[in-house]
Amino acid sequence: MKKTTGMDRAATANWRPATRALRGGTWRSEHGETSEALFLTSGYTYDDAQTVADRFAGTAQGMTYSRLQNPTVAMLEERIALMEGAEACRTQATGMAAMTAALLCQLATGDHVVAARAAFGSCRWLCDQLLPKFGIDVTIIDSADNAAWEAAIRPNTKVFFFETPANPTLDIVDLAYVCGLARTHGITTVVDNAFASPVLQRPMEYGADVVAYSATKLMDGQGRVLAGAICSSKQWIDEVLMPFQRNTGPTLSAFNAWVVLKGLETLPLRAFKQSEQAVALGEFLEPRVTKAGGHLLHPGLPSHPQHNLAMAQMDATGPIFALDVGTRARAFAVLDALKLVDISNNIGDARSLMCHPASSTHANMGDEARAAMGVTEGLLRINVGLEDIADLVEDMDQALSAAGM
Ligand SMILES: *Cc1c(COP(=O)(O)O)cnc(C)c1O
């Protein structure tokens, strides 16, 4: 008898999180390979013409074309769905392909969206530039203010769109309240969970309808590939997302899916360890930054205005924090003095990376909108990696000294 594979929901439903991350979705071929196989194929062959007709009609199971299905990609999708606690998942080529698909697949001219002010630059571009171009109104609110969500609802509000923690200011959204409010108004919540990953936070447990990812970040976690994912109910994925995805083609490559599968194997270890290191480095830096007139933002530190909420809805608070050192000149001086931490705008990587959002990830937006979301000229964002914490402390210590702090 064959051992249970990761594709058997009846068996995998009982697996605990670390087991799901390592074995969920594993779908062995007749060769019994240990590691997931990489199926580099664009198409599939059939034994007879009727099988083709049956598969295209949906009356027979089986792959037809890799824009629609691929075995390696299917393994990744099943693993992410299991980790999220979702009925279904589909992957996309990048995180932004996922966000774009999650919104455009369900919105039409005349609809209204309420979106969080603090967001990744390209997510704000979708809200500020793309959606309005198609006659979809967007109201931007302070996502930490529960009353603002309710006040923004209109009869035609279709979607709530937000990140928590948000990039790069680490604003936290009250998931239970905002998702509950959306439910009572028949509004679909789309949560960008890239900063947490399903290991640290599962928004569906709080009533979120759609959870979207940049899998480039913690899921790959080693800075190798770009990838995106969308989790939801099977009905929403099949009926709302798939007509859009199959015909517009933001498909993830099998190779990149395979790399992310390898990343997920160690995600629980990395996410918790990096969260712990972020808190430790933050605790070391905070008194010094505060003394120099700046401040530090990390949901895992008691100084964060939504610390208690973050601790309640997250299993750990993630590898990313922000520090405001006052001016662009000083922020650049800190970056230029780094000897170990790299100047880089990626996050979720096992290496520690630091960037200046106002001139990089959030450069592509209006000065006013940037200032309103708290992305000041002195703000630095750091992704804390897996290096020895003593080396990170030493590097940041000398960089702050070099910047006169
Ligand atoms: C990086 C990021 C994205 C975009 O993901 P890509 O994989 O780079 O396309 C979207 N949302 C958040 C919160 C991100 O950090």
Side-chain angles (χ1 to χ4, degrees):
M1 203 174 78
K2 281 198 90 150
K3 280 187 100 168
T4 320
T5 79
M7 281 289 183
D8 178 357
R9 273 291 171 108
T12 58
N14 295 320
W15 287 353
R16 291 161 184 87
T19 311
R20 291 180 174 194
L22 189 72
R23 290 177 175 265
T26 298
W27 194 12
R28 291 192 171 115
S29 78
E30 68 273 29
H31 303 299
E33 64 280 356
T34 312
S35 175
E36 295 76 12
L38 173 51
F39 289 90
L40 284 180
T41 181
S42 47
Y44 304 88
T45 60
Y46 312 84
D47 288 340
D48 53 67
Q50 188 57 46
T51 303
V52 187
D54 292 344
R55 286 196 195 168
F56 272 83
T59 55
Q61 292 267 321
M63 312 262 159
T64 55
Y65 189 54
S66 282
R67 173 152 39 81
L68 316 179
Q69 319 96 357
N70 175 280
T72 308
V73 173
M75 286 191 264
L76 174 63
E77 292 171 338
E78 179 64 11
R79 184 169 300 173
I80 294 173
L82 275 179
M83 293 175 74
E84 193 65 40
E87 283 177 12
C89 169
R90 292 302 298 233
T91 51
Q92 292 76 30
T94 66
M96 284 322 302
M99 302 309 152
T100 306
L103 294 172
L104 287 186
C105 74
Q106 60 177 323
L107 290 167
T109 303
D111 287 340
H112 174 243
V113 173
V114 182
R117 183 177 68 190
F120 180 61
S122 292
C123 293
R124 273 299 295 267
W125 185 87
L126 295 182
C127 294
D128 296 342
Q129 306 293 329
L130 187 73
L131 297 180
K133 207 166 104 175
F134 296 108
I136 298 158
D137 276 346
V138 182
T139 303
I140 301 289
I141 59 151
D142 173 1
S143 62
D145 179 1
N146 283 353
W149 287 99
E150 183 156 27
I153 295 173
R154 297 182 195 165
N156 59 337
T157 304
K158 191 88 186 280
V159 168
F160 279 178
F161 178 46
F162 60 90
E163 300 164 17
T164 183
N167 188 350
T169 50
L170 290 308
D171 294 32
I172 305 290
V173 174
D174 183 339
L175 285 167
Y177 175 81
V178 174
C179 297
L181 177 70
R183 274 281 151 90
T184 55
H185 290 269
I187 295 164
T188 302
T189 39
V190 177
V191 183
D192 177 344
N193 201 35
F195 262 46
S197 91
V199 169
L200 303 183
Q201 173 175 270
R202 291 158 305 281
M204 284 182 179
E205 291 174 358
Y206 299 91
D209 300 302
V210 179
V211 179
Y213 283 101
S214 167
T216 315
K217 311 296 169 57
L218 275 164
M219 288 190 181
D220 171 21
Q222 286 143 90
R224 300 167 295 193
V225 298
L226 282 92
I230 301 175
C231 297
S232 189
S233 67
K234 187 172 182 317
Q235 186 180 8
W236 191 90
I237 293 281
D238 289 349
E239 294 175 13
V240 182
L241 176 67
M242 282 316 289
F244 180 89
Q245 174 147 340
R246 68 166 56 231
N247 294 301
T248 58
T251 314
L252 180 63
S253 83
F255 180 78
N256 289 1
W258 182 84
V259 172
V260 178
L261 275 166
K262 299 296 101 187
L264 290 178
E265 292 180 354
T266 56
L267 177 57
L269 289 172
R270 289 183 286 104
F272 284 109
K273 179 70 178 174
Q274 287 181 244
S275 296
E276 198 183 298
Q277 304 233 103
V279 169
L281 188 61
E283 281 172 346
F284 167 77
L285 291 173
E286 191 167 45
R288 182 114 167 242
V289 171
T290 310
K291 206 167 147 213
H295 65 271
L296 203 132
L297 283 165
H298 183 63
L301 294 173
S303 56
H304 190 287
Q306 296 160 292
H307 173 65
N308 292 338
L309 175 61
M311 297 306 281
Q313 68 187 24
M314 301 181 79
D315 293 345
T317 46
I320 301 133
F321 66 81
L323 58 156
D324 195 328
V325 295
T327 62
R328 178 181 285 220
R330 196 178 245 179
F332 278 24
V334 172
L335 287 172
D336 291 343
L338 295 169
K339 293 190 165 125
L340 175 66
V341 176
D342 292 303
I343 303 176
S344 174
N345 47 281
N346 197 12
I347 53 165
D349 197 295
R351 288 161 202 78
S352 293
L353 310 172
M354 203 166 186
C355 77
H356 178 250
S359 62
S360 58
T361 54
H362 292 70
N364 177 26
M365 60 187 300
D367 294 346
E368 211 169 292
R370 192 186 311 118
M373 70 157 76
V375 179
T376 54
E377 285 295 308
L379 194 80
L380 290 165
R381 186 190 71 190
I382 180 163
N383 169 71
V384 182
L386 293 174
E387 299 91 346
D388 191 302
I389 187 68
D391 289 327
L392 294 175
V393 164
E394 258 175 46
D395 195 35
M396 289 304 301
D397 183 40
Q398 65 82 26
L400 291 189
S401 297
M405 293 180 75

